[in-house]
Amino acid sequence: MPRKLATFVSSVIAFALAYAAIAQTPAARDASPRASQSATKPSANGKSAAAKSAAASRARRETREAVAALREVAEAARSFDDLYESVRTQSDAADALWPFDEQTARAALRRAWEAVTAPGIGEKVRGLVPSENPSDGVGDELTAMRRIVIEAAAKHDRRLAEIFLREFERILASEQDGTRQPEQAADTDTPRRGERDLSVAGWQRLFIARRLVADGEFKRAAEVAAPLLAEGASPPLVDFILNLRAHDAREADALYMRLLERTRADAGADANDVLLLSSPVVSPGLRAFVSGGDLSLTQYARTFDSPFPAEVRRAFFNMAATTLLRPTAASRAGGSDATALYFAIGRLLPFFERDAPQYAPTLHARFAALAADLGEASREGLKSGMDTLSLSSKNPSDPLDSLLARLSSELPGAKDAAARDRLRLEVVMSAARRSLWDRARSVASEIEDAAIQRDARLVITTRQVMSISQAYGDDETDDTERAASFVRAADVPPEARAAGFAQASELAARRGKRARADELLAEAVAYAGQAEQGEQRVTALALVALSAMRADAARAWEILRALVREADETDDLPFEALTFSFTLSATNTSSETFLNAPGVQLSFSVPDRPVSLSDLFASAARLDSSRAMAEARSLKDEITRAGAMLAAARATLEKSSRGKVEGARQVLQRGGK
């Protein structure tokens, strides 16, 4: 019995264990394989985290490489033989480096500034590069270099920029004192003054502010320009404010309000100051000025569309009323002052009645008193311009009007057959630049000289090939083959054909035809190799490489290496302005020509926006920073190499948003860990 009991108990236990294994719940059965998979296969979240970590690691590496490249460029530029390139490169490197390594950037700017303010440096530079405008020094290369350094400093450190600016102004003042001529006695019969202008130092400050606007640094531009308010209202300053307003209305309106307040407080401000400041309020695009009793109206480009806010308009009318009604204006209102005051009040009265009626009765009384003192002839001569708010035609003008008018002229030069053919060629060139193909072909067909007609056809066809992506880039239609056929059949030089095939390749890539895009790129490279060695071939390869990068083609790096080889073989390569230049056979045969001297050949260049190697290496860096930097470093010419490295480094750092700059700086300070 004990043995049987033991056997029975053992059987029951075995049966229970077997049943438990078979009777697992579905959830339990499912849990086992999932657990197994989770042990051997990463989850989707795990994949995402790993990818993000890899991307972050790559970004940190690229940032370190770009910052190191900028330091390298800034240091190398110190030894350039060309002082202008040395200063420009150090300043550009410091500008890009500042958010990541302020200490090194600041040191580079100070070294550049010391180089352009060293004792005796002016004589050395002027001996090599004469000023374009010796009378005012604006074209002096040394002056331009100093502005470059100040501009870079102004983007990042207002205090440092002002230190440089004050020293710059002292230098300008000392130079001006050395060249100032004795003033002649004043002529009491001349007008009190003409339009206000800026001082020599003011012009330099304005040039820097304009460049900051062009670089998108609107707040910094307003800060640099602000001291110019002390010089009063002048056309250049008002033009700057209007240009700034097209980009940043808040900063521009603040400057304009301060200028209004300064003018209102200026006892010397007069009617012409009011007219100048009224232009953006009452006649955007038209400026009025009265001198010696004569009225001049000047049309200029309107740079903004939105009207001034109500508070700004109120400030203007308050300033205008204060200036036009002050007692000193009446006591001074004799001769030209009276005519300017009479015209300004008459021009602005309708606007006062609408926007600031509280001043209207007093202004009407002043206007009537002035009218009684002026002769009828003077009053009538001014009244005709009071209501003129624009000189522009409301109907769009024909861009070819001036050239066509010369063709229809009865002047002796227009009667000469050769001169008329040359004029027709100029019309063709102008029409083709505007893509007015039918009109260009029509005028070309009227050319009598066979050689000049060939020139005209070359101009038309080359420009058509160079704009093939616009002509066949309709999103709804795949015109890749039509574009390629047009380029292949066109009678154009090989460099233009290379650019055309490169654009056709981009069209194919947009349609997902990768193989066809690669074939067209191969044709483009082949024709680029047939271009004349030098700038023509480098330009062709640059255009093809840019198309390859936009198409994300594997061949892009091969093309970039070919370009680097060609650049190394080319002397005096214009880094930022590569173009195809074509000289035409037409020459002047008569002294009765209109634009060109006898015997001077016509020429044209494409593309209208020159190719920039900076753009090329920046595009390459956006694809692969390390490869782009390696290609840039392989350039032999030190200035070209520095420019390429700088462009690649900038593009690499711009991949990160501004919000990531501080984090990148901390990474660099920790040694990249």
Side-chain angles (χ1 to χ4, degrees), residues 15 24 102 172 216 260 280 354 364 484 495 504 507 543 621 630 650:
F15 177 79
Q24 284 184 352
E102 181 179 327
L172 290 169
L260 291 175
R354 185 188 68 190
H364 270 291
E495 54 267 37
L507 295 177
L543 286 168
R650 273 187 182 276

Side-chain angles (χ1 to χ4, degrees), residues 39-320:
T40 58
K41 184 178 179 180
S43 67
N45 288 338
K47 276 187 176 180
S48 177
K52 287 181 179 179
S53 177
S57 177
R58 182 173 62 253
R60 288 193 295 270
R61 174 179 54 79
E62 289 180 347
T63 297
R64 289 195 298 272
E65 290 174 351
V67 170
L70 290 172
R71 292 172 180 148
E72 180 183 341
V73 167
E75 182 64 28
R78 297 175 65 184
S79 61
F80 287 176
D81 292 333
D82 186 322
L83 180 61
Y84 180 89
E85 291 296 339
S86 173
V87 170
R88 183 187 63 80
T89 303
Q90 288 184 76
S91 299
D92 287 349
D95 176 32
L97 188 58
W98 194 288
F100 303 92
D101 185 352
E102 181 179 327
Q103 183 177 357
T104 301
R106 188 183 294 274
L109 281 182
R110 287 193 176 278
R111 285 195 300 266
W113 184 249
E114 290 168 2
V116 295
T117 55
I121 191 65
E123 294 303 320
K124 295 177 183 177
V125 173
R126 289 194 185 96
L128 295 173
V129 185
S131 170
E132 295 174 5
N133 190 352
S135 64
D136 59 16
V138 169
D140 184 2
E141 190 178 44
L142 183 56
T143 299
M145 286 189 278
R146 289 166 176 163
R147 290 201 302 259
I148 287 171
V149 180
I150 296 170
E151 180 190 339
K155 292 180 181 180
H156 305 284
D157 188 329
R158 180 180 179 182
R159 182 173 173 276
L160 180 62
E162 283 299 326
I163 291 172
F164 290 164
L165 268 166
R166 286 195 292 272
E167 186 173 356
F168 189 21
E169 289 168 354
R170 286 195 296 271
I171 293 170
L172 290 169
S174 65
E175 291 175 347
Q176 192 176 15
D177 288 340
T179 58
R180 181 174 290 145
Q181 300 297 321
E183 295 182 2
Q184 296 179 350
D187 185 349
T188 56
D189 294 330
T190 58
R192 186 173 63 87
R193 71 163 177 84
E195 285 188 293
R196 293 184 192 271
D197 199 0
L198 294 172
S199 65
V200 172
W203 269 111
Q204 298 307 322
R205 184 178 283 272
L206 184 65
F207 290 148
I208 295 167
R210 285 173 175 173
R211 283 300 313 155
L212 289 168
V213 171
D215 289 344
E217 299 285 346
F218 308 128
K219 182 176 177 60
R220 300 294 189 183
E223 291 172 350
V224 169
L228 298 177
L229 301 176
E231 297 191 19
S234 65
L237 178 56
V238 173
D239 287 343
F240 169 78
I241 292 173
L242 295 181
N243 182 41
L244 176 62
R245 197 170 195 272
H247 305 283
D248 191 328
R250 181 178 179 181
E251 291 291 343
D253 289 355
L255 273 182
Y256 181 70
M257 290 272 282
R258 291 172 62 187
L259 182 57
L260 291 175
E261 187 57 36
R262 192 269 176 199
T263 305
R264 184 180 184 180
D266 181 7
D270 63 11
N272 275 312
D273 294 314
V274 174
L275 287 171
L276 172 62
L277 291 168
S278 75
S279 176
V281 176
V282 305
S283 60
L286 184 68
R287 184 172 294 148
F289 182 77
V290 181
S291 177
D294 296 325
L295 168 67
S296 64
L297 297 173
T298 305
Q299 191 76 41
Y300 62 96
R302 182 173 179 174
T303 54
F304 68 96
D305 294 320
S306 59
F308 281 116
E311 63 174 327
V312 178
R313 294 177 66 86
R314 280 196 302 271
F316 164 73
F317 286 108
N318 290 339
M319 177 280 301

Side-chain angles (χ1 to χ4, degrees), residues 44 65 92 157 213 252 321 357 388 414 437 447 457 540 603 610 657:
E65 290 174 351
D92 287 349
D157 188 329
V213 171
T388 304
W437 308 120
I447 296 175
R457 287 197 296 267
S603 63
S657 64

